[in-house]
């Protein structure tokens, strides 16, 4: 059946065996058939349950396919039979089942995909413990490792998922009544897998897994229908993280709220300014991220010009039901003048609940120390020192010049320049101090009456006030620009490093080892390791390792490598199976972000390597399978024919009922000899091809003369050859035994395709670097478009040859490559094919080679 559409998949999901998935599937089949749908049973496992057997009723059931495995006949879903029957709907039980060896697919869910691709709707069943992502959780609950699993993606992509739910008590009653397992299995099952605790936990896993799937569907529906409002289908709590000291209190309070309802999600969001540069120390944000993740939440960073609007927009985007925000740290008078973020979030939230949390820092002000500065302690100390020294020095210069020669405005401008200089050195607050000191100097030394703090003219009072305001404003701008410049330089350096890394990864020039080397060099770490593990409980294995030797040790001594006792160790997770481990200096949080980006690139490298390995393995398997298929197709005739001739001849010779004269016996004996020789050649070629494909050929190259190669190679076909091989040809550098096989296969191919009575011309000549053998026949030749493939296995001219598997030239080509020779095909003038064998000459004794042997 070809409908042009993909079939629909319906999955009945259960928490444990015996909840009634198969029975519910059969119920649906009866309902669909009652509506006129063509429904058949592809495979249903009743496990001897009477109710299930009775529920099958008169539904059409397709026969199963029989598969023999180790002397036992197994039954599996017969996919070809289903495709031939082409129903509208087919029932296929136990989606996670592993097929018997020899089946087309190893897993039943792959069979189901074939049916869906054919446009057939499939109804199937699966238990939650068979979902691949829950394997570890199920093992932790039940103590049993599930061997049969199905990828979550297969079930998630189902068009419909029906949960078959049964309480633990009901399921245990069914088990006790013999409705699930045989009587001899009930007691053991009740005390092991079917304990109340196990069933309750599995039931919760099934409900939560299905809730996630339903939530994904709801998100897609809201996006498809452009629904921006909040639908409180699931509790989702958003915490507004400011980066201040109250953040820990907010996260813990939100986590306690989330724990009140199972399945509630916790999301923390931190808003960056629109320039994307942080206003909070990276170490603080990193600590808050770690705390949120330890509490079971997810940390998000967004960019927004207005913090309240950004928080509310994020909450609406994730369909949140509550926003947790802290009481403002600003003082009451500042809130009265400027408002607070928490109040603005409550005003903008609409239908989203806002939970206001008080804390120790509420209403006490942000404090001077809360402003983030990227300046070093030395810079800040120099700034505070210059806030006193620079105004005093400038005042001294002005006094030396003379008060009468310089106007007050000039004095103020020069001192304002000093304030700007202090801002460049030490940041904002030293500049504010410098502005105050400069204002006092202007008042005492330059504003009439001089030497007094009083000011005679009101205009000068205004000028001094403006000076302080302008000085503070300019210092603030200069400080902000200086910090942003520092951060921009750092961001540019990080971006340049990551861009170089990305280019090397994308170009394929980088490896995991190169990444750890670059990490060690960039961050001056003593030791960097990239580790991976096979599973959650498997040990970590080092994939790439680099010990970086610095130019000088901690005390300026000799460099060192490796991990010392006092070295700090930093672990950066790439994913569940990979991590970076760095040892050496303490890594700042800002550097950690770059290391995480390196880790992401390392993950890409490992994934590319895994895909390349899989592709190489698939290519080998495909080539092997192609060879096997071609071999089986050819063996049916090419090996059977000589065997049949031998059997017939032997029967004739051994038959007591047949009187044979000497001539007949000679004919039968010659047939046996000829067929045996053909078998030997075929089997020899097969073995040679196998050795070539597995890399088992190990040539021993040495100086050799063609006289020890050619006569032996051409002896069986001397009657069909015209030899022209000069005796003075130079020695060649090859493996004589393997090169003999090359020559024999080429000559055999030429003789076999030559017309009756026509001889094959075998000539040899020497060039400066090689000896060239030319084997020319007068046969039908090979078209130009076939010359490119004639050296591949199982290639025969027009596929009409009954003499051989078409392996001769393939083996000859492979062996020629192994011994350093080349083989090529040319057209023979006047018709036919000329094979050209080029083998290198043995180098002269003074070429630097000690002997003729190459290991």
């Amino acid at each position: 059946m070809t409908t042009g559409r993909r079939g629909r998949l319906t999955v009945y999901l259960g928490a444990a065996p015996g909840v009634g998935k198969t029975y519910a599937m059969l119920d649906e089949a009866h309902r669909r058939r009652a509506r006129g749908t063509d429904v058949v049973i592809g495979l249903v496992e009743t496990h001897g349950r009477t109710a299930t057997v009775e529920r099958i009723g008169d539904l059409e059931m397709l026969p199963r396919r029989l598969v023999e495995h180790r002397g036992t006949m197994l039954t599996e879903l017969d996919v070809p039979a289903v495709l031939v029957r082409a129903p509208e709907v087919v029932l296929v039980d136990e989606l996670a089942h592993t097929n018997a060896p020899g089946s087309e697919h190893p897993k039943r869910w792959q069979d189901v995909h074939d049916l869906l691709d054919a446009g057939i709707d499939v109804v199937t069943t699966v238990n939650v413990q068979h979902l691949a992502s829950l394997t570890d959780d199920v093992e932790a609950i039940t103590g049993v490792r599930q061997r049969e699993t199905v990828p979550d993606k297969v079930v998630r992509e189902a068009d419909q998922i029906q949960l078959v739910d049964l309480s633990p008590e009901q399921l245990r009653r069914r088990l006790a009544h013999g409705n699930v397992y045989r009587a001899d299995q009930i007691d053991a099952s009740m005390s092991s897998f079917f304990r109340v605790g196990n069933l309750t936990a599995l039931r919760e896993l099934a409900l939560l897994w299905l809730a996630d799937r339903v939530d994904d569907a709801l998100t897609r529906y809201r996006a498809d229908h452009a629904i921006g409002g909040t639908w409180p289908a699931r509790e989702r709590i958003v915490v507004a993280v400011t980066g201040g000291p109250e953040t820990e209190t907010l996260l813990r309070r939100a986590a306690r709220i989330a724990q009140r309802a199972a399945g509630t999600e916790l999301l923390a969001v931190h808003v960056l300014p629109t320039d994307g540069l942080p206003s909070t120390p990276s170490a603080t944000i990193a600590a808050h991220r770690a705390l949120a993740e330890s509490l079971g939440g997810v940390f998000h960073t967004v960019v927004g010009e207005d913090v309240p609007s950004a928080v509310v927009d994020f909450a609406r985007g994730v369909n949140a039901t509550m926003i947790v925000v802290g009481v403002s740290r600003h003082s009451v008078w500042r809130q009265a003048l400027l408002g607070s973020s928490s109040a603005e979030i409550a005003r903008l939230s609409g239908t989203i609940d806002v939970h206001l949390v008080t804390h120790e820092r509420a209403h006490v002000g942000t404090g001077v120390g809360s402003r983030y500065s990227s300046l070093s302690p030395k810079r800040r100390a120099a700034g505070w020192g210059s806030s006193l020294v620079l105004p005093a020095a400038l005042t001294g210069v002005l006094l030396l010049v003379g008060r009468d020669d310089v106007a007050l405005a000039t004095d103020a401008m020069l001192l304002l320049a000093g304030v700007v200089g202090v801002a460049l050195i030490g940041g904002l607050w030293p500049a504010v101090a410098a502005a105050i000191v400069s204002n006092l100097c202007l008042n005492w030394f330059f504003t009439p009456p001089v030497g007094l703090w009083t000011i005679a003219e009101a205009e000068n009072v205004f000028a001094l006030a403006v000076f302080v305001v302008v000085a503070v404003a300019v210092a603030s701008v200069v400080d902000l620009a200086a910090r942003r410049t520092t951060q921009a330089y750092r961001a540019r350096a990080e971006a340049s490093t990551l861009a170089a890394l990305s280019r090397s990864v994308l170009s394929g020039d980088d490896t995991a080892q190169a990444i750890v080397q670059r990490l060690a060099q960039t961050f001056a770490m003593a030791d960097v390791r990239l580790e991976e593990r096979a599973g959650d409980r498997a040990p970590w294995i080092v994939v790439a390792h680099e010990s970086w030797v610095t130019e000088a040790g901690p005390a300026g001594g000799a460099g060192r490598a490796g991990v010392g006792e006092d070295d700090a160790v930093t672990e950066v997770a790439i994913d569940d199976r990979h991590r970076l481990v760095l040892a050496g200096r303490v890594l700042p949080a800002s550097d950690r972000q770059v290391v995480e980006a390196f880790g992401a690139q390392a993950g890409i490298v490992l994934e590319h390597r895994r895909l390349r390995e899989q592709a190489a393995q698939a290519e080998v398997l495909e080539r092997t399978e192609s060879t096997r298929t071609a071999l089986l197709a050819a063996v049916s005739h090419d090996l059977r024919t000589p065997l049949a001739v031998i059997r017939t001849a032997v029967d004739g010779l051994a038959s007591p009922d047949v009187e044979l004269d000497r001539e007949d016996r000679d004919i039968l004996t010659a047939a046996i000899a000829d067929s045996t020789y053909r078998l030997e050649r075929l089997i020899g070629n097969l073995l040679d091809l196998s050795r070539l494909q597995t890399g088992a050929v190990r040539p021993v190259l040495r100086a050799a003369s063609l006289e020890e190669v050619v006569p032996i190679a051409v002896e069986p076909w001397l009657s069909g050859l015209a030899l022209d091989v000069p005796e003075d040809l130079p020695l060649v550098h090859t493996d004589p035994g393997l090169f003999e096989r090359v020559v024999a296969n080429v000559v055999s191919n030429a003789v076999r395709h030559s017309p009756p009575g026509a001889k094959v011309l075998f000539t040899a000549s020497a060039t400066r670097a090689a000896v060239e053998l030319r084997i020319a026949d007068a046969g039908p030749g090979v078209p130009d478009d076939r010359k490119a493939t004639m050296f591949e296995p199982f290639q025969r001219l027009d596929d009409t040859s009954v003499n051989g598997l078409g392996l001769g030239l393939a083996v000859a080509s492979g062996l020629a490559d192994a011994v350093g020779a080349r083989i090529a095909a040319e057209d023979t003038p006047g018709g036919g094919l000329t094979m050209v064998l080029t083998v290198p000459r043995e180098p002269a004794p003074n070429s630097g080679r000690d002997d003729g042997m190459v290991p």
Side-chain angles (χ1 to χ4, degrees):
M1 178 178 66
T2 303
T3 62
R5 70 164 183 92
R6 180 176 172 81
R8 294 175 58 84
L9 177 62
T10 300
V11 176
Y12 280 89
L13 175 68
V19 295
K21 303 180 302 300
T22 304
Y23 196 93
M25 179 178 67
L26 292 170
D27 272 347
E28 178 172 346
H30 283 287
R31 289 194 300 272
R32 292 199 183 197
R33 195 183 66 166
R35 294 195 299 266
T37 305
D38 182 16
V39 182
V40 301
I41 296 177
L43 187 146
V44 164
E45 299 289 359
T46 63
H47 298 290
R49 297 166 188 163
T50 305
T52 306
V53 174
E54 292 176 351
R55 192 55 186 147
I56 292 177
D58 57 352
L59 290 174
E60 179 184 352
M61 185 180 301
L62 297 179
R64 300 189 184 189
R65 181 170 56 89
L66 296 178
V67 180
E68 182 185 3
H69 178 58
R70 296 179 179 177
T72 303
M73 297 304 297
L74 305 176
T75 61
E76 297 291 352
L77 173 67
D78 194 340
V79 176
V82 176
L83 295 175
V84 171
R85 171 61 175 78
E88 295 180 67
V89 181
V90 62
L91 308 186
V92 180
D93 209 359
E94 296 187 359
L95 183 64
H97 171 76
T98 299
N99 291 331
S103 301
E104 183 178 359
H105 296 301
K107 291 290 188 177
R108 184 168 292 167
W109 62 264
Q110 296 171 312
D111 295 335
V112 167
H113 268 210
D114 289 346
L115 299 178
L116 295 173
D117 290 338
I120 301 174
D121 294 347
V122 177
V123 183
T124 187
T125 65
V126 70
N127 282 327
V128 70
Q129 68 262 30
H130 295 299
L131 296 175
S133 67
L134 302 179
T135 301
D136 293 335
D137 296 331
V138 172
E139 182 180 10
I141 294 169
T142 65
V144 178
R145 185 74 176 182
Q146 295 296 326
R147 301 301 178 187
E148 292 188 330
T149 60
V150 58
D152 287 46
K153 182 180 179 182
V154 175
V155 184
R156 282 187 176 274
E157 291 179 349
D159 299 277
Q160 187 175 2
I161 301 178
Q162 295 283 351
L163 179 65
V164 182
D165 189 30
L166 205 62
S167 70
E169 292 76 13
Q170 289 176 305
L171 181 53
R172 283 171 60 85
R173 280 198 299 271
R174 290 198 63 201
L175 181 65
H177 293 160
N179 296 328
V180 179
Y181 292 145
R182 299 191 311 268
D184 58 342
Q185 297 177 305
I186 293 176
D187 291 340
S189 300
M190 293 277 283
S191 60
S192 57
F193 187 89
F194 285 84
R195 294 197 300 267
V196 173
N198 288 358
L199 297 178
T200 302
L202 292 174
R203 187 186 189 195
E204 183 179 24
L205 279 180
L207 292 171
L208 291 177
W209 190 92
L210 186 60
D212 285 336
R213 203 272 183 180
V214 173
D215 192 64
D216 292 341
L218 178 61
T219 301
R220 288 195 301 269
Y221 180 85
R222 295 176 71 244
D224 294 341
H225 293 78
I227 299 173
T230 300
W231 283 9
R234 183 175 183 177
E235 291 294 329
R236 212 177 254 113
I237 299 175
V238 171
V239 187
V241 174
T242 63
E246 78 282 1
T247 298
E248 183 175 344
T249 302
L250 296 182
L251 287 171
R252 296 189 185 280
R253 179 61 175 159
R256 289 197 298 272
I257 296 173
Q259 291 172 359
R260 295 174 183 171
T264 299
E265 291 186 17
L266 178 64
L267 301 95
V269 58
H270 177 66
V271 181
L272 290 176
T274 52
D275 56 10
L277 298 175
S279 58
T280 304
S282 299
T284 302
I285 295 300
H288 293 162
R289 180 189 298 275
L291 176 60
E293 292 174 352
S294 68
L295 294 172
V298 181
F299 194 94
H300 297 268
T301 301
V302 298
V303 176
E305 184 175 354
D306 180 63
V307 173
S309 298
V311 171
V312 173
D313 289 343
F314 175 83
R316 288 202 180 103
V318 298
N319 200 26
T321 55
M322 179 185 293
I323 300 174
V324 176
V325 63
V327 175
S328 176
R329 285 177 288 141
H330 297 309
S331 59
V332 176
W333 66 266
R334 179 169 178 176
Q335 291 185 54
L337 292 175
L338 303 177
S340 67
S341 296
S342 56
E344 185 67 9
I345 289 174
R347 187 184 69 83
L348 297 173
S349 62
T351 59
I352 304 175
D353 296 338
V354 177
H355 189 93
L356 195 62
V357 177
T358 188
H359 50 87
E360 294 179 354
R361 301 289 301 177
H363 307 305
V364 298
T366 57
V368 174
S370 65
R371 185 177 180 90
Y372 167 54
S373 176
S374 60
L375 300 178
S376 66
K378 291 182 179 180
R379 285 276 301 274
R380 292 197 294 271
W384 285 109
S386 62
S387 66
L388 298 176
V389 174
L390 194 56
L394 292 175
T395 300
V397 171
L398 291 173
L399 291 175
L400 290 175
V401 173
R403 294 193 301 270
D404 297 335
D405 298 332
V406 181
L408 180 60
T410 303
D411 297 334
M413 293 299 296
L414 186 59
L415 289 172
L416 179 61
V419 173
V420 173
V422 172
L424 291 173
I425 296 172
L428 174 61
W429 294 108
V432 171
I436 295 174
V437 173
S438 298
N439 180 61
L440 295 176
C441 291
L442 280 174
N443 188 356
W444 183 270
F445 293 104
F446 303 107
T447 304
V450 176
L452 298 174
W453 296 114
T454 59
I455 301 174
E457 300 179 9
E459 181 180 352
N460 289 336
V461 175
F462 179 75
L464 291 177
V466 171
F467 169 82
V468 173
V469 173
V470 171
V472 172
V474 172
S476 178
V477 172
V478 171
D479 172 67
L480 180 63
R483 288 190 290 111
R484 290 294 186 258
T485 300
T486 301
Q487 294 167 349
Y489 277 130
R490 180 178 181 83
R492 186 173 67 180
E494 294 174 356
S496 176
T497 302
L498 293 177
L501 180 64
S502 299
R503 284 195 299 270
S504 61
V505 171
L506 293 175
S507 63
D509 298 332
D510 220 329
T511 63
Q513 182 62 36
I515 288 178
V516 298
Q517 289 177 351
R518 187 173 287 116
L519 265 176
Q521 297 171 11
T522 302
F523 297 99
M525 302 301 290
D527 189 90
V528 179
R529 301 191 307 274
L530 176 62
E531 300 178 344
E532 70 176 359
R533 61 181 178 181
D536 292 342
R537 294 177 176 80
W540 290 101
I541 300 173
V542 177
V543 177
H545 175 252
E546 176 70 13
S547 292
W548 176 247
V549 182
T550 55
E551 294 182 358
R560 63 183 179 88
V563 183
E565 294 182 358
D566 299 329
D567 285 335
V569 177
T570 303
E571 294 184 4
V572 177
I574 299 173
D575 51 41
D576 293 339
R577 296 179 57 246
H578 300 93
R579 70 177 181 180
L580 284 168
V581 181
L582 301 91
R585 64 186 179 91
V586 178
L587 198 65
S590 55
D591 286 347
R592 185 184 177 93
Q593 294 176 352
V594 184
V595 172
E596 289 176 350
F598 268 85
Q601 297 291 349
I604 294 174
V605 169
L606 292 174
E607 183 66 14
H608 283 180
R609 184 172 68 180
R610 184 182 66 82
L611 293 175
R612 285 197 300 268
E613 291 174 353
Q614 289 182 348
Q617 293 174 357
E619 184 178 356
V620 171
L621 291 175
E622 182 180 3
R623 187 166 57 248
T624 303
E625 185 65 24
S626 175
T627 301
R628 182 184 304 161
T629 302
L631 175 61
L632 292 175
V635 160
S636 62
H637 182 276
D638 292 317
L639 291 183
R640 184 181 299 172
T641 300
L643 286 174
V645 171
I646 293 173
R647 178 61 183 272
T648 302
V650 169
D651 289 344
L653 290 172
S655 176
D657 301 328
V658 179
E659 290 288 339
L660 298 175
D661 56 22
R662 183 176 183 84
E663 182 180 356
D664 292 336
R665 289 182 175 275
D666 290 342
I667 293 174
L668 292 177
T669 303
I672 292 174
D674 181 64
S675 297
T676 303
Y677 174 71
R678 288 173 57 189
L679 279 177
E680 288 177 346
R681 283 190 58 251
L682 292 173
I683 294 172
N685 281 333
L686 286 172
L687 292 175
D688 286 339
L689 182 64
S690 175
R691 293 172 60 208
L692 287 169
Q693 289 183 339
T694 58
V697 176
R698 296 289 186 270
V700 179
L701 305 181
R702 64 175 177 85
S705 169
L706 289 183
E707 293 180 358
E708 62 179 300
V709 174
V710 174
I712 300 176
V714 304
E715 181 179 2
W717 302 280
L718 277 176
S719 60
L721 289 178
L723 285 174
D724 183 12
V725 181
E727 297 182 355
D728 59 348
L729 289 174
L731 298 178
V732 295
H733 186 69
T734 187
D735 183 315
L738 296 180
F739 189 61
E740 175 192 321
R741 297 296 306 277
V742 175
V743 175
N745 280 3
V746 173
V747 171
S748 169
N749 185 75
V751 172
R752 190 166 62 249
H753 290 93
S754 292
K759 289 184 176 291
V760 173
L761 181 61
F762 190 118
T763 62
S765 60
T767 64
R768 294 183 59 184
V771 172
E772 190 176 89
L773 306 180
R774 304 180 70 88
I775 299 95
D777 65 59
V782 177
D784 291 339
D785 59 345
R786 293 286 302 277
K787 289 177 182 176
T789 60
M790 63 184 297
F791 295 106
E792 296 178 2
F794 308 106
Q795 298 296 317
R796 298 181 299 190
L797 183 61
D798 297 329
D799 289 327
T800 58
S801 171
V802 295
N803 249 344
L805 293 171
L807 294 175
L809 292 182
V811 172
S813 177
L815 292 177
D817 291 339
V819 300
R822 296 194 311 273
I823 185 169
E826 299 177 357
D827 292 330
T828 301
L833 183 70
T834 298
M835 303 298 291
V836 182
L837 289 173
T838 305
V839 58
R841 294 175 55 165
E842 175 67 12
N846 61 356
S847 64
R849 187 187 305 276
D850 294 333
D851 54 45
M853 300 295 291
V854 176

